[in-house]
């Protein structure tokens, strides 16, 4: 069997560290067996689609050194590799299942479904995703109605049995059939759901191992049933443990920067990040004394990595550990290579340098002043007050001035920064004008009830460590999204996060502000 693996990111935002992690494991397994590693773009969910996100995935994976053998920008024998270009294939495959009796057309509208769900709830009856009403339609009648709006649903088994998937790491995972429901395969707009598109592609791309995150386990039984309904071989399933925050919750932007581009822009070395990702769950090559070698390369992984030995305990994304690994790689560099890295980091992107010239040149008389004015475009920000930076870890430190407005509790400032971060994250275009609109326009009520002056100062200080900078929105534009979000996350890490109760209160106040603004607008 040729080992063929894939990753299938959805272009819905910044390229996630989880994509890097999956990419590394999938690539290593394919290379270990002389097989192929594929990149598929799962872009059928048009509501969540974000322009630029696909290119960002390519850039981030290439920066890491994870090169794919077949993919949207490279082609290959099974293309196209972008799901939005394969809709005719999914339609054909959905109809194949209707014909073979494994799927059926369902004409229930969402209003009807909602009413039946409410009725079931009132009568305390179980109503899983769908009650199977259209199963009873006469297939010939249903065919005659094919011009009406409808979806195609999979006919799940309704017997007392179980559906079992074999997971490489977890062994058999059983789901009682009573827990399954007739999921939609093809939506009324003709687009496939993830389930149909993923199974069809995994078969047509001859994927031998589906290695993906644990969060896809619930989709496993349906995928298994779909492979069987088509009469196709079932690939090996391997659901990898989720990467977690230090508190064991699923890795989240609130606790760790999750964009691969953040790590690139913050000056991590790709080989260090790969090493760190390799440590997650695997731990590294075994040493003679039974421990693990912490520092290793992808070549070491190719030699020693064993997918089936991966630990299921959720690996923790420990930023301090990553920094430690990165520091090791930096120290290993010979002066020439180190200097090259510094050059690449600082001036490797002439467009970046040129974009900030209009912001800093009016404030300079000599070139010697450049770094005084422009330091924060190149350098991380320490949000701790300069006098307190040397204090022992654990001791209470003052923060850099302006990050928390006078009279505001630090927890509340944390919340405002998290609102800011969310609002900026959701922006597609990243121009000064758009940023200003988002932060000053009507949507800004969601951010805080602070005076705009305080809000903009907190943001300015969070991204620059300074109370004075060139124009805030222009600075945000030039710094770019991943740096800005990373710095907001850095600032949030020095602030205390609100407890559950306080968070609820803050969220409630925010929702009331939004509702109040909506009423005002409609009264006007
Ligand atoms: N598009 C899915 C994702 O974004 C792919 C899941 C899978 O690997 O099957 O993670």
């Amino acid at each position: 069997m040729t080992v063929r693996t894939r990753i299938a990111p959805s272009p819905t935002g910044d390229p996630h560290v989880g994509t890097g992690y999956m990419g590394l494991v999938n690539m290593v397994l394919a290379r270990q067996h002389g097989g192929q590693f594929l990149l598929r773009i799962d872009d059928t969910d048009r509501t969540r689609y974000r322009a630029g996100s696909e290119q960002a995935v390519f850039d981030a994976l290439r920066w890491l050194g994870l090169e794919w053998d077949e993919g949207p920008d490279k082609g290959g024998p099974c293309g196209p590799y972008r799901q939005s270009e394969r809709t005719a294939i999914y339609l054909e495959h959905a109809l194949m299942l209707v014909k073979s009796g494994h799927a059926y057309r369902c004409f229930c509208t969402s209003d009807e479904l909602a009413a039946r769900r409410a009725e079931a709830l009132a009568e305390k009856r179980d109503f899983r995703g769908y009650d199977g009403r259209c199963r009873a339609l006469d297939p010939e009648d249903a065919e005659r109605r094919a011009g009406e709006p409808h979806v195609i649903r999979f006919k799940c088994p309704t017997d007392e049995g179980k559906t079992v998937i074999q997971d490489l790491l977890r062994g058999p995972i059983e789901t009682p059939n009573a827990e399954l429901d007739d999921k939609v395969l093809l939506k009324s707009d003709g687009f496939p759901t993830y389930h149909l598109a993923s199974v069809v592609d995994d078969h047509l791309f001859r994927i031998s191992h589906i290695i993906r995150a644990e969060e896809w386990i619930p989709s496993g039984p349906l995928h298994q049933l779909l492979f069987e309904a088509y009469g196709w071989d079932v690939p090996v399933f391997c659901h990898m443990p989720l990467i977690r925050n230090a508190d064991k919750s699923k890795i989240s932007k609130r606790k760790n920067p999750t964009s691969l581009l953040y790590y690139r822009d913050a000056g991590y070395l790709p080989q260090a990040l790969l090493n760190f990702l390799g440590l997650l769950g695997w731990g590294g090559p075994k040493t003679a004394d039974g421990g693990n070698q912490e520092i290793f390369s992808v070549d070491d992984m190719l030699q020693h990595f064993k997918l089936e030995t991966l630990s299921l305990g959720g690996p923790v994304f420990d930023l301090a550990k990553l920094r430690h690994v990165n520091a090791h790689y930096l120290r290993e560099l010979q002066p020439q290579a180190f200097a090259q890295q510094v050059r690449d980091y600082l001036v490797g992107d002439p467009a970046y340098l040129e974009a900030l010239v209009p912001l800093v040149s009016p404030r300079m008389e000599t070139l010697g002043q450049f770094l005084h004015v422009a330091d924060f475009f190149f350098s991380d920000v320490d949000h701790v007050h300069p006098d307190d930076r040397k204090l022992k870890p654990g001791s209470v430190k003052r923060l850099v001035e302006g990050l928390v407005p006078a009279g505001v509790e630090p927890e509340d400032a944390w919340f405002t920064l998290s609102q800011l971060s969310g609002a900026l994250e959701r922006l597609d275009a990243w121009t000064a004008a758009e940023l200003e609109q988002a932060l000053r326009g009507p949507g800004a009520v969601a951010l805080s009830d602070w005076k705009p002056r305080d809000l903009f100062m907190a943001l300015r200080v969070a991204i620059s460590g300074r109370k004075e900078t060139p124009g805030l929105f222009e600075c945000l534009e030039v710094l770019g999204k991943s740096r800005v979000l990373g710095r907001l996350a850095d600032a949030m890490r020095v602030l205390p996060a609100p407890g559950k109760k306080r968070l609820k209160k803050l969220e409630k106040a925010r929702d009331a502000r939004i509702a109040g603004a909506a009423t005002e607008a409609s009264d006007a």
Side-chain angles (χ1 to χ4, degrees):
M1 172 182 66
T2 307
V3 170
R4 283 172 63 86
T5 61
R6 62 21 168 218
I7 49 169
S10 298
T12 55
D14 288 340
H16 198 271
V17 284
T19 301
Y21 179 47
M22 291 302 143
L24 174 64
V25 171
N26 274 284
M27 186 191 81
V28 165
L29 191 82
R31 300 267 179 277
Q32 281 181 320
H33 294 88
Q36 291 92 38
F37 165 54
L38 281 70
L39 174 62
R40 181 178 92 206
I41 295 290
D42 282 7
D43 59 348
T44 55
D45 185 349
R46 302 313 280 179
T47 52
R48 293 178 61 225
Y49 178 81
R50 300 274 286 275
S53 173
E54 177 185 296
Q55 187 59 45
V57 168
F58 298 165
D59 293 348
L61 294 175
R62 290 216 162 96
W63 168 70
L64 271 177
L66 299 175
E67 190 61 44
W68 46 101
D69 302 300
E70 298 168 30
D73 59 335
K74 282 196 135 161
C78 307
Y81 294 88
R82 212 177 261 119
Q83 288 193 325
S84 60
E85 293 166 13
R86 300 174 62 79
T87 47
I89 299 175
Y90 307 129
L91 173 63
E92 182 196 326
H93 279 82
L95 294 178
M96 275 162 69
L97 290 184
V98 174
K99 211 159 165 207
S100 64
H102 290 98
Y104 59 94
R105 299 184 195 267
C106 165
F107 300 88
C108 298
T109 64
S110 39
D111 287 349
E112 284 163 5
L113 282 177
R116 297 211 303 269
R117 194 167 298 126
E119 202 180 285
L121 199 72
E123 293 168 13
K124 297 203 165 57
R125 262 186 299 116
D126 181 30
F127 189 99
R128 270 165 290 119
Y130 182 64
D131 57 3
R133 178 165 299 189
C134 287
R135 274 183 177 230
L137 292 178
D138 174 55
E140 279 178 23
D141 280 348
E143 273 322 297
R144 267 193 292 277
R145 293 175 61 189
E148 294 174 29
H150 68 284
V151 300
I152 292 180
R153 289 185 185 272
F154 187 65
K155 227 182 243 176
C156 275
T158 48
D159 57 24
E160 310 266 272
K162 294 174 191 147
T163 297
V164 185
I165 67 167
Q166 293 297 336
D167 187 281
L168 188 72
L169 296 175
R170 298 158 201 267
I173 304 178
E174 301 183 343
T175 310
N177 290 340
E179 285 175 17
L180 303 175
D181 67 294
D182 291 356
K183 288 266 184 299
V184 174
L185 299 178
L186 199 77
K187 296 183 270 186
S188 54
D189 60 4
F191 272 89
T193 56
Y194 157 69
H195 306 296
L196 176 69
S198 191
V199 167
V200 167
D201 286 347
D202 284 337
H203 171 71
L204 295 179
F205 293 176
R206 302 191 304 278
I207 297 301
S208 61
H209 294 68
I210 297 179
I211 306 170
R212 63 184 166 199
E214 176 182 337
E215 61 193 327
W216 299 104
I217 290 179
S219 303
L222 174 59
H223 293 194
Q224 169 86 23
L225 290 165
L226 278 167
F227 280 111
E228 288 170 0
Y230 283 113
W232 295 336
D233 289 341
V234 184
V236 175
F237 283 111
C238 175
H239 290 94
M240 305 267 292
L242 281 183
I243 309 178
R244 301 193 177 268
N245 297 311
D247 62 6
K248 290 279 174 187
S249 54
K250 177 182 161 187
I251 189 169
S252 66
K253 283 182 222 140
R254 283 192 167 181
K255 311 237 163 88
N256 278 302
T258 53
S259 165
L260 287 171
L261 297 177
Y262 162 79
Y263 294 95
R264 182 194 65 187
D265 295 345
Y268 289 81
L269 299 176
Q271 58 272 39
L273 186 52
L274 277 182
N275 185 154
F276 173 75
L277 293 174
L279 281 170
L280 299 176
W282 180 45
K286 288 265 171 283
T287 52
D289 60 4
N292 284 96
Q293 180 187 326
E294 187 171 273
I295 299 293
F296 53 86
S297 63
V298 171
D299 280 346
D300 294 328
M301 265 188 101
L302 290 179
Q303 268 190 43
H304 302 287
F305 179 75
K306 286 202 185 76
L307 180 59
E308 56 282 6
T309 63
L310 226 86
S311 137
L312 285 177
V316 172
F317 198 95
D318 177 354
L319 210 51
K321 176 88 175 180
L322 170 57
R323 293 180 78 90
H324 167 80
V325 171
N326 201 60
H328 172 89
Y329 278 87
L330 279 180
R331 280 194 301 267
E332 290 286 291
L333 293 173
Q334 296 301 313
Q336 221 179 16
F338 195 108
Q340 187 58 42
Q341 288 287 349
V342 173
R343 267 196 297 275
D344 288 348
Y345 183 67
L346 293 181
V347 293
D349 179 3
Y352 184 62
L353 203 55
E354 282 159 27
L356 61 88
V357 169
L359 301 185
V360 298
S361 61
R363 296 161 174 249
M364 289 167 55
E365 290 172 328
T366 67
L367 287 175
Q369 293 169 324
F370 178 69
L371 278 184
H372 287 297
V373 184
D375 59 350
F376 67 92
F377 284 105
F378 301 96
S379 157
D380 288 350
V381 172
D382 195 337
H383 297 98
V384 172
H385 191 282
D387 294 346
D388 289 359
R389 282 182 193 151
K390 294 241 149 52
L391 293 183
K392 284 203 198 82
S395 46
V396 181
K397 296 176 182 174
R398 281 169 301 160
L399 300 173
V400 67
E401 218 181 305
L403 188 60
V404 180
V408 169
E409 294 297 330
E411 284 92 343
D412 298 2
W414 182 98
F415 184 73
T416 297
L417 292 188
S418 84
Q419 297 301 296
L420 267 170
S421 169
L424 295 176
E425 226 261 305
R426 286 188 290 276
L427 282 187
D428 274 333
W430 191 264
T431 61
E434 260 237 339
L435 288 155
E436 179 158 13
Q437 169 64 20
L439 301 179
R440 268 200 221 280
V445 286
L447 301 175
S448 74
D449 55 1
W450 300 357
K451 290 192 207 81
R453 194 162 37 110
D454 287 342
L455 182 69
F456 294 143
M457 181 56 78
L459 178 56
R460 186 186 300 280
V461 172
I463 60 156
S464 70
R466 297 155 159 252
K467 289 177 78 176
E468 273 173 45
T469 63
L472 175 62
F473 303 110
E474 287 75 15
C475 286
L476 291 169
E477 176 180 330
V478 172
L479 279 164
K481 194 177 197 173
S482 65
R483 272 192 205 85
V484 167
L485 294 182
R487 290 195 188 166
L488 280 169
D490 291 343
M492 284 168 69
R493 256 195 309 279
V494 299
L495 292 167
K500 268 203 185 113
K501 239 170 139 181
R502 186 161 199 134
L503 191 62
K504 275 238 156 67
K505 223 171 120 193
L506 289 162
E507 285 169 347
K508 232 171 129 184
R510 173 203 57 200
D511 296 344
R513 279 199 308 278
I514 297 174
T519 329
E520 242 172 67
S522 68
D523 289 348

